[in-house]
Coordinates of all heavy atoms in Angstrom, one line a residue:
R232 N -4.6 -9.1 15.7 CA -3.7 -8.1 15.2 C -2.3 -8.3 15.7 O -1.3 -7.8 15.0 CB -4.2 -6.7 15.6 CG -5.5 -6.4 14.9 CD -5.8 -5.0 15.1 NE -7.2 -4.8 14.6 CZ -7.5 -4.3 13.5 NH1 -6.6 -4.0 12.6 NH2 -8.8 -4.1 13.1
A233 N -2.1 -8.9 16.8 CA -0.7 -9.1 17.3 C 0.0 -10.0 16.3 O 1.2 -9.8 16.1 CB -0.8 -9.8 18.7
G234 N -0.6 -10.9 15.7 CA 0.0 -11.8 14.7 C 0.5 -10.9 13.5 O 1.6 -11.2 13.0
C235 N -0.2 -9.9 13.1 CA 0.3 -9.0 12.1 C 1.6 -8.3 12.4 O 2.5 -8.2 11.7 CB -0.8 -8.0 11.7 SG -2.2 -8.7 11.0
L236 N 1.6 -7.8 13.7 CA 2.8 -7.1 14.1 C 4.0 -8.1 14.2 O 5.1 -7.7 13.8 CB 2.6 -6.5 15.5 CG 1.6 -5.3 15.6 CD1 1.4 -4.9 17.0 CD2 2.1 -4.2 14.7
C237 N 3.8 -9.3 14.6 CA 4.8 -10.3 14.7 C 5.3 -10.6 13.3 O 6.5 -10.7 13.0 CB 4.3 -11.5 15.4 SG 5.6 -12.7 15.9
F238 N 4.4 -10.8 12.3 CA 4.7 -11.0 11.0 C 5.6 -9.9 10.4 O 6.6 -10.2 9.8 CB 3.5 -11.2 10.1 CG 3.7 -11.4 8.7 CD1 4.1 -12.6 8.1 CD2 3.6 -10.3 7.8 CE1 4.4 -12.7 6.8 CE2 3.8 -10.4 6.4 CZ 4.2 -11.7 5.9
R239 N 5.2 -8.7 10.7 CA 6.0 -7.5 10.2 C 7.4 -7.5 10.8 O 8.4 -7.2 10.2 CB 5.3 -6.2 10.4 CG 4.1 -6.0 9.5 CD 3.5 -4.7 9.7 NE 2.2 -4.7 8.9 CZ 1.3 -3.8 9.1 NH1 1.4 -2.8 10.0 NH2 0.2 -3.8 8.3
S240 N 7.4 -7.8 12.1 CA 8.7 -7.9 12.8 C 9.6 -9.0 12.2 O 10.8 -8.7 12.0 CB 8.5 -8.1 14.3 OG 9.7 -8.3 15.0
D241 N 9.0 -10.1 12.0 CA 9.8 -11.2 11.4 C 10.3 -10.9 10.0 O 11.4 -11.1 9.6 CB 9.0 -12.5 11.3 CG 8.7 -13.1 12.7 OD1 9.4 -12.7 13.7 OD2 7.8 -14.0 12.7
L242 N 9.4 -10.2 9.2 CA 9.8 -9.8 7.9 C 10.9 -8.8 7.9 O 11.9 -9.0 7.1 CB 8.6 -9.3 7.1 CG 8.8 -8.7 5.7 CD1 9.4 -9.8 4.8 CD2 7.6 -8.1 5.1
G243 N 10.8 -7.9 8.7 CA 11.9 -6.8 8.8 C 13.2 -7.5 9.2 O 14.2 -7.1 8.7
R244 N 13.2 -8.4 10.2 CA 14.4 -9.0 10.7 C 15.0 -9.9 9.5 O 16.2 -9.8 9.2 CB 14.1 -9.9 11.9 CG 15.3 -10.6 12.4 CD 15.0 -11.7 13.4 NE 14.4 -12.8 12.7 CZ 13.2 -13.3 13.0 NH1 12.5 -12.9 14.0 NH2 12.7 -14.3 12.3
D245 N 14.1 -10.6 8.8 CA 14.6 -11.5 7.8 C 15.1 -10.7 6.6 O 16.0 -11.1 5.9 CB 13.5 -12.5 7.3 CG 13.2 -13.5 8.4 OD1 14.0 -13.7 9.3 OD2 12.2 -14.2 8.3
L246 N 14.4 -9.5 6.3 CA 14.9 -8.7 5.2 C 16.3 -8.1 5.5 O 17.1 -8.1 4.7 CB 13.9 -7.5 5.0 CG 14.2 -6.5 3.9 CD1 14.4 -7.2 2.5 CD2 13.2 -5.4 3.8
D247 N 16.4 -7.6 6.7 CA 17.8 -7.1 7.1 C 18.8 -8.2 7.0 O 19.9 -8.0 6.4 CB 17.8 -6.7 8.6 CG 17.0 -5.4 8.8 OD1 16.8 -4.6 7.8 OD2 16.7 -5.1 10.0
R248 N 18.5 -9.4 7.4 CA 19.5 -10.6 7.3 C 19.7 -10.9 5.9 O 20.9 -11.0 5.5 CB 18.9 -11.8 8.0 CG 19.8 -13.0 7.9 CD 19.1 -14.3 8.5 NE 17.9 -14.6 7.8 CZ 17.7 -15.1 6.6 NH1 18.8 -15.3 5.9 NH2 16.5 -15.3 6.1
A249 N 18.7 -10.9 5.0 CA 18.9 -11.2 3.6 C 19.7 -10.1 2.9 O 20.6 -10.5 2.1 CB 17.5 -11.3 2.9
I250 N 19.5 -8.9 3.2 CA 20.3 -7.8 2.7 C 21.8 -8.0 3.1 O 22.7 -7.8 2.2 CB 19.8 -6.4 3.0 CG1 18.4 -6.2 2.3 CG2 20.8 -5.3 2.7 CD1 17.7 -5.0 2.8
K251 N 22.0 -8.3 4.3 CA 23.4 -8.5 4.8 C 24.1 -9.6 4.1 O 25.3 -9.7 4.0 CB 23.4 -8.7 6.3 CG 23.1 -7.4 7.0 CD 23.0 -7.6 8.5 CE 22.6 -6.3 9.2 NZ 22.3 -6.5 10.6
L252 N 23.3 -10.6 3.6 CA 23.9 -11.8 2.9 C 24.2 -11.5 1.5 O 24.9 -12.3 0.9 CB 22.9 -13.0 3.1 CG 22.8 -13.6 4.4 CD1 21.7 -14.6 4.4 CD2 24.1 -14.1 5.0
L253 N 23.7 -10.4 0.9 CA 24.0 -10.1 -0.5 C 25.5 -9.9 -0.7 O 26.2 -9.3 0.2 CB 23.3 -8.8 -0.9 CG 21.8 -8.9 -1.1 CD1 21.2 -7.5 -1.3 CD2 21.4 -9.8 -2.2
P254 N 26.1 -10.3 -1.8 CA 27.4 -9.9 -2.1 C 27.6 -8.4 -2.0 O 26.7 -7.6 -2.3 CB 27.6 -10.4 -3.6 CG 26.6 -11.5 -3.7 CD 25.4 -11.0 -2.9
E255 N 28.8 -7.9 -1.6 CA 29.0 -6.5 -1.3 C 28.5 -5.5 -2.4 O 27.8 -4.6 -2.1 CB 30.5 -6.3 -1.1 CG 30.9 -4.8 -0.9 CD 30.4 -4.3 0.5 OE1 30.2 -5.2 1.4 OE2 30.3 -3.1 0.6
R256 N 28.8 -5.7 -3.7 CA 28.4 -4.8 -4.7 C 26.9 -4.8 -4.9 O 26.3 -3.7 -5.1 CB 29.2 -5.1 -6.0 CG 30.6 -4.8 -5.9 CD 31.5 -4.9 -7.1 NE 31.0 -5.6 -8.3 CZ 31.2 -5.3 -9.5 NH1 31.9 -4.2 -9.8 NH2 30.7 -6.0 -10.5
Q257 N 26.3 -6.0 -4.8 CA 24.8 -6.0 -4.9 C 24.2 -5.3 -3.8 O 23.2 -4.5 -3.9 CB 24.3 -7.5 -4.9 CG 24.6 -8.2 -6.2 CD 24.1 -9.7 -6.1 OE1 23.3 -10.0 -5.3 NE2 24.7 -10.5 -7.0
R258 N 24.7 -5.5 -2.6 CA 24.2 -4.8 -1.4 C 24.4 -3.3 -1.5 O 23.4 -2.5 -1.2 CB 24.9 -5.3 -0.1 CG 24.3 -4.7 1.2 CD 24.9 -5.3 2.4 NE 26.3 -5.2 2.5 CZ 27.2 -6.3 2.4 NH1 26.7 -7.5 2.2 NH2 28.5 -6.1 2.5
Q259 N 25.5 -2.8 -2.0 CA 25.7 -1.4 -2.1 C 24.7 -0.8 -3.1 O 24.1 0.2 -2.8 CB 27.1 -1.1 -2.7 CG 28.2 -1.3 -1.7 CD 29.6 -1.2 -2.4 OE1 29.8 -1.4 -3.6 NE2 30.6 -0.7 -1.6
V260 N 24.5 -1.4 -4.2 CA 23.6 -0.9 -5.2 C 22.1 -0.9 -4.7 O 21.4 0.1 -4.8 CB 23.7 -1.7 -6.6 CG1 22.5 -1.3 -7.5 CG2 25.0 -1.4 -7.2
F261 N 21.7 -2.0 -4.1 CA 20.4 -2.1 -3.5 C 20.1 -1.1 -2.4 O 19.1 -0.4 -2.5 CB 20.2 -3.6 -2.9 CG 18.8 -3.8 -2.4 CD1 17.8 -4.1 -3.3 CD2 18.5 -3.6 -1.1 CE1 16.5 -4.3 -2.8 CE2 17.2 -3.7 -0.6 CZ 16.2 -4.1 -1.5
V262 N 21.0 -0.9 -1.5 CA 20.9 0.0 -0.4 C 20.8 1.4 -1.0 O 20.0 2.2 -0.6 CB 21.9 -0.2 0.7 CG1 21.9 1.0 1.7 CG2 21.7 -1.5 1.4
L263 N 21.7 1.8 -1.9 CA 21.7 3.1 -2.4 C 20.4 3.4 -3.2 O 19.8 4.5 -3.0 CB 22.9 3.3 -3.4 CG 24.2 3.5 -2.7 CD1 25.3 3.4 -3.8 CD2 24.3 4.8 -2.0
K264 N 19.8 2.4 -3.9 CA 18.6 2.7 -4.6 C 17.4 2.6 -3.7 O 16.6 3.5 -3.7 CB 18.5 1.7 -5.8 CG 17.2 1.8 -6.5 CD 17.4 1.8 -8.0 CE 16.2 1.8 -8.8 NZ 15.2 2.8 -8.4
E265 N 17.2 1.5 -3.0 CA 16.0 1.2 -2.3 C 15.9 1.9 -0.9 O 14.8 2.1 -0.4 CB 15.7 -0.3 -2.2 CG 15.6 -0.9 -3.6 CD 14.4 -0.4 -4.4 OE1 13.4 0.1 -3.8 OE2 14.5 -0.3 -5.6
V266 N 17.0 2.0 -0.3 CA 17.0 2.6 1.1 C 17.3 4.1 1.0 O 16.6 4.9 1.6 CB 18.0 1.9 2.0 CG1 18.1 2.5 3.4 CG2 17.7 0.4 2.1
S267 N 18.3 4.5 0.3 CA 18.7 5.9 0.2 C 18.0 6.7 -0.9 O 18.0 7.9 -0.9 CB 20.2 6.0 0.0 OG 20.9 5.4 1.1
G268 N 17.4 6.0 -1.8 CA 16.6 6.7 -2.9 C 17.3 7.3 -4.0 O 16.7 8.1 -4.7
F269 N 18.6 6.9 -4.2 CA 19.3 7.4 -5.4 C 18.8 6.8 -6.7 O 18.3 5.7 -6.7 CB 20.8 7.1 -5.2 CG 21.5 7.9 -4.2 CD1 21.8 7.4 -2.9 CD2 21.9 9.2 -4.4 CE1 22.4 8.1 -2.0 CE2 22.5 10.0 -3.5 CZ 22.8 9.4 -2.2
K270 N 18.9 7.6 -7.8 CA 18.6 7.1 -9.1 C 19.8 6.3 -9.6 O 20.9 6.4 -9.1 CB 18.3 8.2 -10.0 CG 17.0 9.0 -9.7 CD 16.8 10.1 -10.6 CE 15.5 10.8 -10.5 NZ 14.9 11.0 -9.3
Q271 N 19.5 5.4 -10.6 CA 20.6 4.6 -11.1 C 21.8 5.4 -11.6 O 22.9 5.0 -11.4 CB 20.1 3.7 -12.2 CG 19.2 2.6 -11.7 CD 18.6 1.6 -12.8 OE1 18.5 2.0 -13.9 NE2 18.2 0.4 -12.4
L272 N 21.6 6.5 -12.3 CA 22.7 7.3 -12.8 C 23.5 7.9 -11.7 O 24.7 8.0 -11.8 CB 22.2 8.4 -13.8 CG 21.7 7.9 -15.1 CD1 21.2 9.0 -16.0 CD2 22.9 7.2 -15.9
E273 N 22.8 8.2 -10.6 CA 23.5 8.7 -9.4 C 24.4 7.6 -8.8 O 25.5 7.9 -8.4 CB 22.5 9.3 -8.4 CG 21.8 10.5 -8.8 CD 20.7 10.9 -7.9 OE1 19.9 10.0 -7.4 OE2 20.5 12.1 -7.7
I274 N 23.9 6.4 -8.8 CA 24.6 5.3 -8.2 C 25.9 5.0 -9.1 O 26.9 4.7 -8.6 CB 23.7 4.0 -8.1 CG1 22.6 4.3 -7.1 CG2 24.5 2.8 -7.7 CD1 21.5 3.3 -7.1
C275 N 25.7 5.2 -10.4 CA 26.9 5.0 -11.3 C 28.0 6.0 -10.9 O 29.2 5.6 -10.8 CB 26.5 5.4 -12.7 SG 25.4 4.2 -13.5
D276 N 27.6 7.2 -10.6 CA 28.6 8.2 -10.2 C 29.2 7.9 -8.9 O 30.4 8.0 -8.7 CB 28.0 9.6 -10.2 CG 27.6 10.2 -11.6 OD1 28.2 9.6 -12.6 OD2 26.8 11.0 -11.7
I277 N 28.4 7.5 -7.9 CA 28.8 7.3 -6.6 C 29.8 6.1 -6.5 O 30.9 6.2 -5.9 CB 27.6 7.0 -5.6 CG1 26.8 8.2 -5.4 CG2 28.1 6.4 -4.3 CD1 25.4 8.0 -4.8
L278 N 29.5 5.0 -7.3 CA 30.3 3.8 -7.2 C 31.3 3.7 -8.4 O 32.1 2.8 -8.4 CB 29.4 2.6 -7.2 CG 28.4 2.4 -6.0 CD1 27.5 1.2 -6.2 CD2 29.2 2.4 -4.7
G279 N 31.2 4.6 -9.3 CA 32.1 4.6 -10.5 C 31.9 3.4 -11.4 O 32.9 2.8 -11.8
M280 N 30.7 3.0 -11.6 CA 30.3 1.9 -12.4 C 29.5 2.3 -13.6 O 28.8 3.3 -13.6 CB 29.5 0.9 -11.6 CG 30.1 0.3 -10.4 SD 28.8 -0.8 -9.6 CE 29.8 -1.3 -8.2
P281 N 29.6 1.5 -14.7 CA 28.7 1.8 -15.9 C 27.3 1.5 -15.5 O 27.0 0.6 -14.6 CB 29.2 0.8 -16.9 CG 30.5 0.2 -16.4 CD 30.6 0.5 -15.0
I282 N 26.3 2.1 -16.2 CA 24.9 1.9 -15.9 C 24.5 0.4 -16.1 O 23.7 -0.1 -15.3 CB 24.0 2.8 -16.8 CG1 22.6 2.7 -16.4 CG2 24.2 2.4 -18.3 CD1 22.2 3.4 -15.2
G283 N 25.1 -0.3 -17.0 CA 24.7 -1.7 -17.2 C 25.1 -2.5 -16.0 O 24.4 -3.5 -15.7
T284 N 26.2 -2.2 -15.4 CA 26.7 -2.9 -14.2 C 25.7 -2.7 -13.0 O 25.3 -3.6 -12.3 CB 28.1 -2.5 -13.8 OG1 29.0 -2.8 -14.9 CG2 28.6 -3.3 -12.6
V285 N 25.3 -1.4 -12.9 CA 24.4 -1.1 -11.8 C 23.1 -1.8 -12.0 O 22.5 -2.4 -11.1 CB 24.2 0.5 -11.7 CG1 23.0 0.8 -10.8 CG2 25.5 1.1 -11.3
K286 N 22.6 -1.8 -13.2 CA 21.3 -2.5 -13.5 C 21.4 -4.0 -13.3 O 20.5 -4.6 -12.7 CB 20.9 -2.2 -15.0 CG 20.4 -0.8 -15.2 CD 20.0 -0.6 -16.7 CE 19.5 0.8 -16.9 NZ 19.0 0.9 -18.3
S287 N 22.5 -4.6 -13.7 CA 22.7 -6.0 -13.5 C 22.8 -6.4 -12.0 O 22.2 -7.3 -11.6 CB 24.0 -6.4 -14.3 OG 24.2 -7.8 -14.0
L288 N 23.5 -5.6 -11.3 CA 23.7 -5.8 -9.9 C 22.4 -5.7 -9.1 O 22.0 -6.5 -8.2 CB 24.7 -4.9 -9.3 CG 26.2 -5.2 -9.6 CD1 27.1 -4.1 -9.2 CD2 26.7 -6.5 -9.1
M289 N 21.6 -4.7 -9.5 CA 20.3 -4.5 -8.9 C 19.3 -5.6 -9.2 O 18.7 -6.1 -8.3 CB 19.7 -3.1 -9.4 CG 18.4 -2.8 -8.7 SD 18.7 -2.5 -6.9 CE 17.0 -2.2 -6.4
Y290 N 19.3 -6.1 -10.4 CA 18.5 -7.2 -10.8 C 18.9 -8.4 -10.0 O 18.0 -9.1 -9.5 CB 18.7 -7.5 -12.3 CG 17.9 -8.7 -12.8 CD1 16.6 -8.6 -13.1 CD2 18.6 -9.9 -13.0 CE1 15.9 -9.8 -13.5 CE2 17.9 -11.0 -13.4 CZ 16.6 -11.0 -13.7 OH 15.9 -12.1 -14.1
R291 N 20.2 -8.7 -9.9 CA 20.6 -9.9 -9.2 C 20.3 -9.8 -7.7 O 19.9 -10.8 -7.1 CB 22.1 -10.1 -9.4 CG 22.4 -10.7 -10.8 CD 23.9 -11.1 -10.8 NE 24.4 -10.5 -12.0 CZ 25.7 -10.0 -12.2 NH1 26.5 -10.1 -11.2 NH2 26.1 -9.5 -13.3
A292 N 20.4 -8.6 -7.2 CA 20.1 -8.4 -5.7 C 18.6 -8.6 -5.5 O 18.3 -9.3 -4.5 CB 20.5 -7.0 -5.3
V293 N 17.8 -8.1 -6.3 CA 16.3 -8.3 -6.1 C 15.9 -9.7 -6.3 O 15.2 -10.3 -5.5 CB 15.5 -7.4 -7.1 CG1 14.1 -7.7 -7.1 CG2 15.7 -5.9 -6.8
R294 N 16.5 -10.4 -7.3 CA 16.2 -11.8 -7.5 C 16.6 -12.7 -6.2 O 15.9 -13.5 -5.8 CB 16.9 -12.4 -8.7 CG 16.4 -11.8 -10.0 CD 14.9 -12.2 -10.3 NE 14.9 -13.7 -10.5 CZ 13.9 -14.4 -10.9 NH1 12.8 -13.7 -11.1 NH2 13.9 -15.7 -11.1
R295 N 17.8 -12.4 -5.7 CA 18.3 -13.1 -4.6 C 17.4 -12.8 -3.3 O 17.1 -13.8 -2.6 CB 19.7 -12.7 -4.3 CG 20.4 -13.5 -3.3 CD 21.9 -13.2 -3.3 NE 22.6 -14.2 -2.6 CZ 23.8 -14.6 -2.9 NH1 24.5 -14.0 -3.9 NH2 24.4 -15.5 -2.2
L296 N 17.0 -11.6 -3.1 CA 16.1 -11.3 -2.0 C 14.8 -11.9 -2.2 O 14.2 -12.4 -1.2 CB 16.0 -9.7 -1.9 CG 17.3 -9.0 -1.4 CD1 17.0 -7.5 -1.5 CD2 17.7 -9.4 0.0
Q297 N 14.3 -12.0 -3.4 CA 13.0 -12.7 -3.6 C 13.1 -14.1 -3.2 O 12.2 -14.7 -2.6 CB 12.6 -12.6 -5.1 CG 12.1 -11.2 -5.5 CD 11.8 -11.1 -7.0 OE1 12.4 -11.8 -7.8 NE2 11.0 -10.2 -7.4
K298 N 14.2 -14.8 -3.6 CA 14.4 -16.2 -3.2 C 14.5 -16.3 -1.7 O 13.9 -17.2 -1.1 CB 15.6 -16.8 -3.9 CG 15.4 -17.0 -5.4 CD 16.7 -17.5 -6.0 CE 16.5 -17.5 -7.5 NZ 17.7 -17.8 -8.2
E299 N 15.3 -15.5 -1.0 CA 15.5 -15.5 0.4 C 14.2 -15.3 1.2 O 14.0 -15.9 2.2 CB 16.5 -14.5 0.9 CG 17.9 -14.8 0.5 CD 18.5 -15.9 1.3 OE1 18.1 -16.1 2.5 OE2 19.3 -16.7 0.7
L300 N 13.3 -14.5 0.6 CA 12.1 -14.1 1.4 C 10.8 -14.7 0.8 O 9.7 -14.3 1.1 CB 11.9 -12.6 1.3 CG 13.1 -11.8 2.0 CD1 13.0 -10.3 1.7 CD2 13.2 -12.1 3.5
A301 N 11.0 -15.7 0.0 CA 9.9 -16.4 -0.7 C 8.8 -16.9 0.3 O 7.6 -17.0 0.0 CB 10.4 -17.5 -1.6
A302 N 9.3 -17.3 1.5 CA 8.3 -17.9 2.5 C 7.2 -16.9 2.8 O 6.1 -17.3 3.3 CB 9.1 -18.3 3.7
Y303 N 7.5 -15.6 2.6 CA 6.5 -14.6 3.0 C 5.4 -14.4 1.9 O 4.4 -13.8 2.1 CB 7.1 -13.2 3.3 CG 7.9 -13.2 4.6 CD1 9.2 -13.4 4.6 CD2 7.2 -13.1 5.8 CE1 9.9 -13.5 5.8 CE2 7.8 -13.1 7.0 CZ 9.2 -13.3 7.0 OH 9.9 -13.4 8.2
H304 N 5.7 -15.0 0.7 CA 4.7 -14.9 -0.4 C 4.9 -16.2 -1.2 O 5.5 -16.1 -2.3 CB 5.0 -13.6 -1.2 CG 3.7 -13.2 -2.0 ND1 3.2 -13.9 -3.0 CD2 2.9 -12.2 -1.8 CE1 2.2 -13.3 -3.5 NE2 2.0 -12.3 -2.8
P305 N 4.5 -17.3 -0.7 CA 4.7 -18.6 -1.4 C 4.2 -18.7 -2.9 O 4.9 -19.3 -3.7 CB 4.0 -19.6 -0.6 CG 3.6 -18.9 0.6 CD 3.7 -17.5 0.5
Q306 N 3.1 -18.0 -3.2 CA 2.6 -18.1 -4.6 C 3.6 -17.4 -5.5 O 3.8 -17.9 -6.6 CB 1.2 -17.4 -4.6 CG 0.6 -17.5 -6.0 CD 0.4 -19.0 -6.4 OE1 0.1 -19.8 -5.6 NE2 0.5 -19.3 -7.7
T307 N 4.2 -16.3 -5.1 CA 5.2 -15.7 -6.0 C 6.4 -16.6 -6.2 O 6.9 -16.7 -7.3 CB 5.7 -14.4 -5.3 OG1 4.6 -13.5 -5.1 CG2 6.7 -13.7 -6.2
A308 N 6.8 -17.3 -5.2 CA 7.9 -18.3 -5.3 C 7.6 -19.4 -6.3 O 8.4 -19.7 -7.2 CB 8.3 -18.9 -4.0
I309 N 6.3 -19.9 -6.2 CA 5.9 -20.9 -7.1 C 5.9 -20.4 -8.6 O 6.4 -21.0 -9.5 CB 4.5 -21.5 -6.7 CG1 4.7 -22.2 -5.4 CG2 3.9 -22.4 -7.8 CD1 3.3 -22.6 -4.8
E310 N 5.3 -19.2 -8.8 CA 5.3 -18.6 -10.1 C 6.7 -18.4 -10.6 O 7.0 -18.6 -11.8 CB 4.5 -17.3 -10.0 CG 3.0 -17.4 -9.8 CD 2.3 -16.1 -9.5 OE1 3.0 -15.0 -9.5 OE2 1.1 -16.1 -9.2
G311 N 7.6 -17.9 -9.7 CA 9.0 -17.7 -10.2 C 9.7 -19.0 -10.7 O 10.3 -19.0 -11.7
V312 N 9.4 -20.1 -10.0 CA 10.0 -21.4 -10.4 C 9.3 -21.8 -11.7 O 10.0 -22.2 -12.6 CB 9.7 -22.4 -9.3 CG1 10.1 -23.8 -9.8 CG2 10.5 -22.1 -8.0
N313 N 8.0 -21.6 -11.8 CA 7.4 -22.0 -13.1 C 7.9 -21.2 -14.2 O 8.0 -21.7 -15.3 CB 5.9 -21.9 -12.9 CG 5.3 -22.9 -12.0 OD1 5.9 -24.0 -11.8 ND2 4.1 -22.7 -11.5
N314 N 8.1 -19.9 -14.0 CA 8.6 -19.0 -15.1 C 10.0 -19.4 -15.5 O 10.4 -19.2 -16.6 CB 8.5 -17.6 -14.7 CG 7.1 -17.0 -14.6 OD1 6.2 -17.6 -15.2 ND2 6.9 -16.0 -13.8
A315 N 10.8 -19.9 -14.6 CA 12.2 -20.3 -14.9 C 12.3 -21.6 -15.7 O 13.3 -21.8 -16.3 CB 13.0 -20.4 -13.6
L316 N 11.2 -22.4 -15.6 CA 11.2 -23.7 -16.3 C 11.0 -23.5 -17.8 O 10.5 -22.7 -18.4 CB 10.2 -24.6 -15.8 CG 10.4 -25.0 -14.3 CD1 9.3 -25.9 -13.8 CD2 11.7 -25.7 -14.1

């Protein structure tokens, strides 16, 4: 069980690092949605952006985080590469 705790600790550390590496606007949108729990329309109001921009930034942030954290779920990374081809 200690391995599980270590894995979670590593994942949390790596997730924090990956979020910090996101471009500013992607990070803002991701944190407002996934950490603070705001809805997309609320994020539009907070950041003064159109809904399409918020959706696009969120999509790009999630994709980038998936790539950064692919080592925690290698099968997903392989499927993602296959789907891109």
Side-chain angles (χ1 to χ4, degrees):
R232 295 192 191 260
C235 292
L236 292 176
C237 195
F238 175 79
R239 288 183 186 166
S240 173
D241 290 346
L242 175 59
R244 183 194 67 236
D245 289 347
L246 178 58
D247 286 343
R248 180 188 53 76
I250 290 171
K251 288 176 184 171
L252 291 174
L253 289 172
E255 179 68 22
R256 292 186 341 147
Q257 288 179 21
R258 184 173 56 252
Q259 288 175 327
V260 170
F261 183 84
V262 169
L263 286 170
K264 176 132 179 46
E265 298 301 329
V266 177
S267 300
F269 288 101
K270 293 180 171 38
Q271 287 180 338
L272 289 175
E273 293 171 318
I274 296 169
C275 292
D276 291 339
I277 292 167
L278 298 178
M280 296 178 181
I282 188 73
T284 302
V285 169
K286 288 181 179 183
S287 175
L288 289 168
M289 186 64 185
Y290 174 81
R291 286 189 230 146
V293 169
R294 293 294 293 185
R295 191 173 196 144
L296 292 172
Q297 286 173 335
K298 289 177 187 174
E299 287 288 327
L300 301 170
Y303 288 98
H304 203 292
Q306 186 59 36
T307 302
I309 292 168
E310 289 169 4
V312 169
N313 289 338
N314 288 338
L316 297 177

